[in-house]
DNA sequence: AATTAATAACTGACCGGTCATTTATTTACA
DNA sequence: TGTAAATAAATGACCGGTCAGTTATTAATT
């Protein structure tokens, strides 16, 4: 036998919820809600299944906690000063897109996005949380930025919200590509490089010699 | 009683597979693979659960059939002459994006995409089918188009694949927005309008007075 | 009557959630 | 300070419901 001090488990009341949601994020991101097994979440959290239910009421409850927890840092990440700066529109974009690429690389934005997309019918409330707490803020910020640019004569006319799609769409596609297609043989996408190139493309145009007056 | 001639069911060997995949597309799109119930697919196809198993081996088999069936028309729709034309790059883009918007509005591209994204870990083969039969073709086509444009001096330099992301990203974001965020209160997105505006934006640049030499 | 499409009752595996029990840690008191 | 009683954390066997898939039977068609 090993020495007398070999406890089967430890009391870690404070650490458990974090362990569990971290493990759950992994499992939900891999399997989706319905296919994720509580037993596996427990296993990865280094805990028994019963313990899960000491800290969370139901599986849905765990799912909610995971999304909520993953949402907060995204909001914080977005605040980051960049947009308060009174720089020219183009310069702000050149700061913002690479920053987004960074965030998407560091935080599990992709995993959460996939989860929200995949389970949006079954958990509309979560899609709503994501929309209300993250997406709508981001869109509002971008449209404000674009409108200011338009007023200054820096940015071409057009619906600011659709312009925001032009800005962010390629980045989101890159994120989803990474999550979905890369694991099955899709060519890798370098988000940072995509951000850089897309900046110049969307700011200056894909066409060298503009086809318009 | 109704008249003596009121058969409880009819033999429709040829029509069944189509009925079933059509019903299954609905259910899978609404629920995702794991949460979709074979019984409900059967009900919507106007058939008993047992009948499902006369035409398909397993649930996965049904899923595969649905994706394949929903995928093929998309490929065909893409081929449609547009790209063979020897028009200037900008003109082809102005034909292609609205056409994509049309297809995405008419066919359940969004639903299938959501399905593929949501179930990609559990069914990598499906993501692979989607990648190999749809996405890689589309990318190949676009990169070829872009490369030709670059050789002709019409299109700015840069990785053609990333340029393709710049072109298609906003459209894909629009499609996903419709599927995921609109049902929970997200503002509507007019895909056709998005296509039109994004064309000019991405071709000519968001910035009125290009910030580069 | 023979054939076979279709049904509906059935089965068995699986999994979310519970709870009686075990074990670590803390506290009371000598 | 040492020790035993009290408490709180954690476990894992188990239960009940659900559902993919099977099969014995029925009914339409030829």
């Amino acid at each position: 036998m090993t020495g007398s001090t070999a406890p089967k488990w430890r009391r870690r009341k404070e650490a458990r919820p974090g362990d569990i949601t971290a493990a759950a994020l992994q499992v939900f991101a891999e399997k989706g809600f319905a296919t994720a097994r509580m037993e596996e979440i427990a296993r990865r959290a280094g805990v028994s299944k019963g313990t899960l239910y000491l800290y969370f009421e139901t599986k849905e409850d765990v799912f909610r906690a995971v999304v909520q927890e993953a949402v907060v840092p995204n909001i914080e990440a977005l605040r980051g000063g960049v947009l308060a700066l009174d720089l020219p529109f183009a310069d702000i974009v050149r700061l913002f897109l690479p920053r987004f690429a960074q965030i998407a690389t560091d935080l599990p934005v992709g995993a959460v996005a996939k989860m929200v997309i995949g389970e949006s019918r079954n958990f509309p409330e979560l899609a709503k949380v994501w929309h209300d707490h993250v997406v709508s803020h981001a869109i509002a910020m971008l449209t404000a930025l674009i409108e200011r640019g338009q007023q200054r004569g820096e940015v071409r006319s057009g619906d600011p919200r659709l312009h925001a799609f032009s800005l962010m769409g390629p980045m989101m596609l890159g994120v989803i590509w990474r999550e979905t297609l890369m694991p099955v043989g899709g060519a890798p996408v370098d988000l940072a490089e995509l951000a850089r190139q897309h900046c110049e493309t969307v700011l200056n145009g894909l066409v060298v010699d503009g086809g318009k007056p």
Side-chain angles (χ1 to χ4, degrees), chain A:
Chain A
M1 295 301 161
T2 52
S4 58
T5 50
K8 290 185 179 172
W9 44 263
R10 254 170 237 279
R11 297 171 130 195
R12 294 174 60 243
K13 189 179 166 66
E14 284 71 29
R16 292 304 187 209
D19 291 355
I20 292 167
T21 50
L25 172 58
Q26 280 182 24
V27 179
F28 282 133
E30 280 175 26
K31 311 276 174 105
F33 178 81
T35 317
R37 299 293 152 229
M38 290 299 265
E39 196 111 34
E40 169 139 25
I41 293 173
R43 200 173 51 69
R44 292 207 205 176
V47 122
S48 78
K49 195 169 69 155
T51 301
L52 255 46
Y53 288 91
L54 295 175
Y55 295 96
F56 299 93
E57 296 273 324
T58 64
K59 190 182 182 184
E60 288 197 24
D61 211 39
V62 177
F63 191 57
R64 264 182 275 273
V66 167
V67 175
Q68 292 279 8
E69 191 170 282
V71 159
V72 174
N74 289 337
I75 299 170
E76 293 312 312
L78 269 178
R79 284 202 203 291
V82 174
L83 295 152
L85 301 175
D86 196 25
L87 294 169
F89 177 80
D91 292 346
I92 294 185
V93 170
R94 287 190 185 97
L95 286 174
F96 180 73
L97 284 195
R99 185 185 178 94
F100 176 84
Q102 178 82 42
I103 292 169
T105 305
D106 295 348
L107 300 175
V109 182
V112 174
K114 205 181 78 174
M115 232 155 62
V116 169
I117 292 169
E119 308 290 348
S120 61
R121 300 273 174 169
N122 302 90
F123 298 92
E125 343 133 47
L126 291 175
K128 196 156 167 45
V129 168
W130 181 256
H131 174 264
D132 294 352
H133 288 21
V134 182
V135 179
S136 70
H137 286 209
I139 291 272
M141 195 184 64
L142 287 171
T143 53
L145 179 71
I146 289 162
E147 274 164 353
R148 192 180 69 180
Q150 287 175 327
Q151 279 155 17
R152 288 178 180 172
E154 289 176 310
V155 178
R156 74 163 53 230
S157 62
D159 182 342
R161 201 161 124 270
L162 297 185
H163 278 333
F165 274 71
S166 290
L167 270 179
M168 292 306 296
M171 299 311 300
M172 290 310 300
L173 182 56
V175 167
I176 290 167
W177 181 286
R178 292 191 126 202
E179 287 290 323
T180 307
L181 265 17
M182 263 176 61
V184 295
V189 179
D190 180 339
L191 284 185
E193 182 57 27
L194 173 60
R196 226 164 335 182
Q197 182 170 318
H198 178 60
C199 273
E200 299 316 312
T201 298
V202 77
L203 289 173
N204 302 317
L206 204 45
V207 174
V208 170
D209 177 17
K212 287 186 72 176

